[in-house]
Amino acid sequence: MDVLMLSRLQFAMATMFHFIFVPLTLGLSIMVAVMETMYVRTKKDIYLRMTKFWGKLFVINFVLGIVTGITLEFQFGTNWSRYSEYVGDIFGSLLAIEATVAFFMESTFLAAWIFGWKKLSPKMHAACIWIVAIASNISAVWIILANGWMQNPVGYVIRNGRAELDNFFEVITNPFAWGQFFHNGFAAFMVASFFVMGVSAYHLLRKNEVEFFSKSFKMGLIVAFIFSILVAAQGHHHAQTVAKMQPEKLAAMEALWDDHPDGAPMYLLAIPDEKNEKNSVEFLGLPGALSFLAFNDFDAPVKGLKSWPKEERPPVTITFLAFRIMVGLGTLFPLLALWGWKNRKKLTENKLYLRIMLFSIPLPYIAIWAGWAVAEVGRQPWIVYGMMKTSDAVSPIATSQVAFSFIALTTLYTLLGACEIYLLARFARRGPEPEKA
Amino acid sequence: MLESIWFLLWGLLWAIYFMLDGYDLGLGSVMPFLAKDEKDRKAIYKSIGPFWDGNEVWLITAGGVTFAAFPKAYAVMFSGLYTALMLLLIALIIRGVAYEFRGLVESDWARKLWDKAMVLGSVLPGLLLGVAFANIFMGIPIDENGVFQGNLFTLLNPYGLGGGILFVLLFAQHGSLWLAVRTHGELNERAGNLAATIWPVLAAVYIAFLALTGVYTQLLSNYLAYPALMLILLIPIFAIVKVRTLIAARKWWKAWAASAVLIVSTTLFGVIGLFPALLPSSINPAYSITIHNAASSQLTLKIMLTVALIMVPIVIGYQFWMHKVFATKITDEDLGY
């Protein structure tokens, strides 16, 4: 393996591991903030206990998000130095702004929240978790603006042998990036709501703290209900943006090889065969369906992968499968939420549903990983779409260096991941502190 | 002009990072000398618990600003110092997690394991940062294409190692003083004594490092060209003396502040000496990465400066508030005794 492949694997591994923790942070921070606000307003002990229990799980999750985030910032310089030099003028400034406007706030006020139960007034304490929640989401805005710029570079000129900023406003209003931000943000609520429902289901199945976990479950259910619909609707909208701005990604998402000047079909089942530039199996084609979904018109022309030279096509199988996993799960979520909604009055009686929800905790994580795989793998061979190839971006470093760091980081992350799951599971199972007498 | 302002801000951000993360890393590394029992260890963790994360964000910011203001310097520095930075990263991950997990595990062996991780994850960053910055002060082998012609062992030269030891000692004293600030009684006594014990070693290493700086680096040339700059050198010298007298007077906050001034002024001494280079090339001065060949566009520098001038004072404001509210003396009740 060469430096390029190792660097790509390392970046993918580090990003995906980081992204286990981030979406739960984004969604759960807001849910905990709502719980604490309800406590401040009503003074009911149950809301305080909810805040403490879910807050504890939130904090256990948060710390790994932080420490693994540093890796990501460092990696642009260590492994992608040619990229950093070429686009730092724009990309680097977005990361630097993220740190100054959001990350400081997030880290400082989370510490104030964790350690401030006795030192701060209840209102001030609740304000701290709101600041954490808002800052986390602002942080996501800047990070996704940076990624969105790699997907759809805007507001730049090529000057002095690099991409230089020309219009900051265009960079921060990049429609592609905002589409990604909302899609991600809504998906983060899915992760958080399924986490809350799954953990609650575990306790409800055991009739443990029924009032506490029914309330928690219902809160998760409301969030899941709203955001499962939003994420699907907005996802459809974002896919249309992709169809317009990155047609070869769309073609890879659908494994569409040939041009369809008067309407492209969609296959319910297909197995891409990249070597022979066709699908080895195509089953149940709906005529014009892809054209309609992508362009609201059954007859709209759609370009196939063969329109691009081989070396400018994204890997088809991964993009195609990841897209199907994401969409499949995205269709399942509103159904699960609807089922729960119909059962909301007698949650404890429907054991099957509770069991399903317990085992559904990983599903939104898988969906969100698959979604990022579509976005990132589907952008290949470009690191910045249409501007710079990934193979031109890698650092001039020795293979042995990257092999060492890849093995070391993978080993470390595996151990940390195991500790994290163990601790989360232990504290989730233990349940809330007993009620005050 | 903007490039020069950003150069100074770049140096200042690293200096603030060393000053803040320096005390938690330092205290982590001397923990085995200070803690006699579980209660002591709890107090040590408690004394840094609310701060380490906010302090570490200054590293992210310093890194981010290097990326944004001087992309080429960021690219060459981070890829050139690849293995050192990966080790730094791993150390910081381990110690960040150690804070959190140590408080959650319940068996004795697991706690001991995380204590060890904490010490290792605290010593290593100080050492690596010191080695890295000493090498930057001295110049690293960068060729005409900005490619680093060396490896981890290139960095482990006498001057680089001297920088590493200096940083570890600076941080260790800074951390001991922090614990003295935050505790009463016996632990306070021990922390103060440790700071006093470190002081003569630190002072000797400091003088030796300054002497080596004259031999190995070009840092002094800026000072010789503008003798008025020599006055800046008086600040760390004054600070290091002040640290000793304030330890003797048992004025912990002030001693800690003097140690903070020492760290900041030492960093700035090096940074001013570097100007206008961010990364001098030891192969040929013409290959050095400087503010002239590495800076971002004027527009980016302007936007970044606006953001920094608004946000950094706000950040300093709430972090100051945080320290004021939470850095009080730790009581037995805080520790659950």
Side-chain angles (χ1 to χ4, degrees):
Chain A
M1 257 194 267
D2 57 359
V3 173
L4 176 64
M5 199 59 211
L6 281 168
S7 292
R8 286 182 67 185
L9 281 174
Q10 180 177 302
F11 197 90
M13 188 280 294
T15 313
M16 287 173 90
F17 189 73
H18 178 61
F19 216 68
I20 298 174
F21 312 103
V22 173
L24 187 62
T25 296
L26 294 178
L28 197 54
S29 59
I30 292 188
M31 291 175 75
V32 173
V34 169
M35 291 169 191
E36 190 165 359
T37 308
M38 281 157 94
Y39 167 65
V40 172
R41 290 235 168 135
T42 64
K43 296 279 165 232
K44 279 188 189 156
D45 191 46
I46 188 164
Y47 291 121
L48 180 64
R49 292 171 66 226
M50 276 168 78
T51 308
K52 289 203 165 170
F53 174 71
W54 296 108
K56 178 153 199 156
L57 301 182
F58 170 76
V59 171
I60 297 175
N61 171 75
F62 190 90
V63 67
L64 271 188
I66 288 199
V67 295
T68 56
I70 312 175
T71 316
L72 294 191
E73 195 205 44
F74 275 33
Q75 275 195 116
F76 291 110
T78 52
N79 294 70
W80 306 101
S81 67
R82 298 226 159 94
Y83 166 79
S84 301
E85 193 177 335
Y86 195 70
V87 304
D89 201 69
I90 300 157
F91 189 87
S93 52
L94 295 172
L95 293 195
I97 293 174
E98 186 269 342
T100 33
V101 306
F103 197 29
F104 268 123
M105 237 199 293
E106 205 179 329
S107 302
T108 310
F109 285 93
L110 181 68
W113 187 78
I114 298 172
F115 293 92
W117 285 101
K118 283 182 194 149
K119 296 211 173 209
L120 303 173
S121 72
K123 272 194 185 155
M124 188 64 204
H125 193 261
C128 285
I129 190 77
W130 274 112
I131 294 173
V132 172
I134 292 164
S136 306
N137 283 277
I138 293 177
S139 155
V141 169
W142 290 100
I143 295 300
I144 291 184
L145 281 174
N147 181 269
W149 190 83
M150 298 166 83
Q151 302 284 352
N152 177 42
V154 290
Y156 69 95
V157 282
I158 302 292
R159 197 164 44 202
N160 304 321
R162 62 181 181 180
E164 292 193 351
L165 184 65
D166 183 49
N167 187 333
F168 188 62
F169 187 73
E170 267 181 46
V171 173
I172 58 172
T173 54
N174 185 353
F176 198 102
W178 283 98
Q180 283 183 292
F181 170 73
F182 285 112
H183 196 50
N184 242 287
F186 296 161
F189 278 105
M190 293 310 298
V191 170
S193 63
F194 269 61
F195 179 83
V196 170
M197 286 192 290
V199 172
S200 302
Y202 173 89
H203 289 280
L204 291 174
L205 279 166
R206 284 160 185 73
K207 302 257 184 287
N208 178 25
E209 294 272 0
V210 172
E211 192 203 352
F212 182 99
F213 284 109
S214 297
K215 250 196 166 58
S216 301
F217 193 99
K218 276 181 199 153
M219 188 168 167
L221 190 59
I222 294 170
V223 174
F225 196 68
I226 298 170
F227 285 96
S228 62
I229 293 165
L230 281 178
V231 76
Q234 199 278 335
H236 171 64
H237 176 75
H238 186 59
Q240 294 199 331
T241 313
V242 171
K244 260 188 266 141
M245 295 183 174
Q246 299 183 334
E248 59 270 60
K249 187 186 275 179
L250 177 79
M253 279 153 67
E254 297 295 346
L256 190 74
W257 296 94
D258 296 305
D259 279 349
H260 288 74
D262 11 79
M266 188 176 220
Y267 297 98
L268 277 192
L269 184 76
I271 300 175
D273 174 0
E274 293 193 47
K275 223 186 213 157
N276 298 309
E277 306 192 306
K278 66 181 182 70
N279 295 331
S280 51
V281 178
E282 276 181 354
F283 182 64
L284 263 186
L286 306 169
L290 176 57
S291 291
F292 179 72
L293 284 174
F295 301 102
N296 299 325
D297 174 3
F298 286 100
D299 303 322
V302 182
K303 276 190 171 184
L305 285 158
K306 286 185 193 164
S307 302
W308 289 274
K310 264 194 173 175
E311 65 280 4
E312 288 191 7
R313 291 178 205 160
V316 180
T317 313
I318 299 178
T319 315
F320 173 83
L321 281 179
F323 183 63
R324 258 143 198 79
I325 292 170
M326 176 182 76
V327 172
L329 289 170
T331 317
L332 179 68
F333 298 148
L335 300 176
L336 284 174
L338 193 65
W339 186 6
W341 190 254
K342 290 185 95 175
N343 274 308
R344 67 187 183 279
K345 297 252 159 64
K346 40 186 182 358
L347 270 175
T348 44
E349 288 158 39
N350 197 335
K351 295 235 150 117
L352 175 66
Y353 177 67
L354 289 178
R355 223 165 272 143
I356 289 176
M357 290 315 288
L358 170 59
F359 290 104
S360 294
I361 294 178
L363 297 184
Y365 286 102
I366 295 169
I368 214 164
W369 267 6
W372 272 110
V374 174
E376 297 292 284
V377 177
R379 193 193 57 228
Q380 301 303 323
W382 304 101
I383 190 165
V384 183
Y385 181 69
M387 180 199 282
M388 184 183 209
K389 288 215 169 133
T390 311
S391 52
D392 297 328
V394 76
S395 299
I397 42 178
T399 316
S400 58
Q401 289 179 304
V402 193
F404 153 77
S405 64
F406 179 55
I407 294 169
L409 281 175
T410 310
T411 312
L412 178 66
Y413 280 12
T414 309
L415 291 174
L416 293 183
C419 291
E420 169 79 11
I421 291 172
Y422 167 76
L423 285 171
L424 264 182
R426 190 170 73 184
F427 285 95
R429 269 196 219 144
R430 189 173 289 176
E433 298 285 314
E435 257 175 287
K436 272 183 235 153
Chain B
M1 185 63 202
L2 271 172
E3 292 88 348
S4 306
I5 295 174
W6 267 111
F7 181 87
L8 270 184
L9 277 175
W10 172 78
L12 191 63
L13 285 170
W14 282 105
I16 296 178
Y17 168 65
F18 295 147
M19 169 187 102
L20 288 175
D21 222 14
Y23 75 76
D24 52 57
L25 291 169
L27 184 50
S29 45
V30 296
M31 187 167 75
F33 303 110
L34 290 171
K36 288 249 158 72
D37 53 22
E38 179 59 19
K39 191 177 159 189
D40 291 348
R41 275 186 287 273
K42 264 194 177 172
I44 289 173
Y45 280 99
K46 186 118 197 154
S47 76
I48 7 187
F51 308 109
W52 71 270
D53 184 13
N55 293 346
E56 204 170 285
V57 182
W58 288 95
L59 172 66
I60 316 258
T61 306
V65 158
T66 315
F67 197 174
F70 305 105
K72 191 173 177 182
Y74 172 75
V76 175
M77 188 198 279
F78 278 59
S79 60
L81 307 180
Y82 190 95
T83 305
L85 280 170
M86 285 293 161
L87 290 173
L88 171 67
L89 195 62
I90 289 169
L92 287 175
I93 291 175
I94 290 175
R95 77 108 189 205
V97 170
Y99 273 110
E100 184 59 33
F101 287 0
R102 207 256 177 205
L104 295 172
V105 295
E106 279 152 11
S107 50
D108 232 19
W109 67 267
R111 255 186 234 134
K112 279 198 182 122
L113 189 71
W114 284 117
D115 285 339
K116 292 214 172 74
M118 166 78 173
V119 177
L120 184 73
S122 300
V123 182
L124 213 50
L127 187 68
L128 290 164
L129 288 164
V131 169
F133 270 77
N135 275 283
I136 291 170
F137 291 161
M138 188 170 67
I140 54 176
I142 310 170
D143 70 13
E144 66 268 44
N145 299 314
V147 177
F148 176 72
Q149 302 292 340
N151 55 40
L152 183 64
F153 299 101
T154 318
L155 305 177
L156 301 178
N157 52 68
Y159 186 69
L161 287 171
I165 294 167
L166 178 68
F167 266 49
V168 170
L169 288 170
L170 277 171
F171 290 1
Q173 174 164 282
H174 203 42
S176 311
L177 289 171
W178 179 255
L179 189 66
V181 165
R182 301 263 352 239
T183 47
H184 287 296
E186 221 185 303
L187 197 53
N188 167 283
E189 195 83 6
R190 244 179 279 147
N193 289 343
L194 183 63
T197 315
I198 293 170
W199 191 86
V201 186
L202 172 64
V205 170
Y206 200 96
I207 292 163
F209 187 77
L210 277 185
L212 286 175
T213 300
V215 178
Y216 281 95
T217 77
Q218 307 296 319
L219 290 189
L220 293 176
S221 56
N222 276 348
Y223 293 89
L224 295 173
Y226 301 96
L229 285 175
M230 296 271 191
L231 290 175
I232 294 174
L233 253 178
L234 294 178
I235 302 174
I237 292 167
F238 178 73
I240 202 167
V241 174
K242 229 24 201 161
V243 170
R244 187 70 194 92
T245 54
L246 287 163
I247 291 175
R250 318 196 81 64
K251 291 191 169 141
W252 304 120
W253 260 122
K254 284 187 179 163
W256 181 83
S259 162
V261 171
L262 174 62
I263 292 174
V264 170
S265 57
T266 304
T267 314
L268 290 180
F269 158 71
V271 168
I272 290 167
L274 273 178
F275 187 85
L278 294 132
L279 284 175
S281 167
S282 58
I283 297 177
N284 182 340
Y287 306 154
S288 295
I289 311 290
T290 69
I291 61 166
H292 306 296
N293 61 22
S296 279
S297 65
Q298 294 292 307
L299 180 61
T300 294
L301 293 180
K302 232 181 274 172
I303 290 170
M304 289 295 303
L305 188 62
T306 315
V307 174
L309 288 181
I310 297 170
M311 292 312 299
V312 172
I314 295 177
V315 171
I316 292 175
Y318 59 66
Q319 289 210 337
F320 186 80
W321 167 82
M322 185 74 199
H323 279 79
K324 211 175 146 200
V325 175
F326 289 86
T328 49
K329 289 266 183 198
I330 296 169
T331 61
D332 278 5
E333 194 199 338
D334 291 334
L335 300 173
Y337 284 88

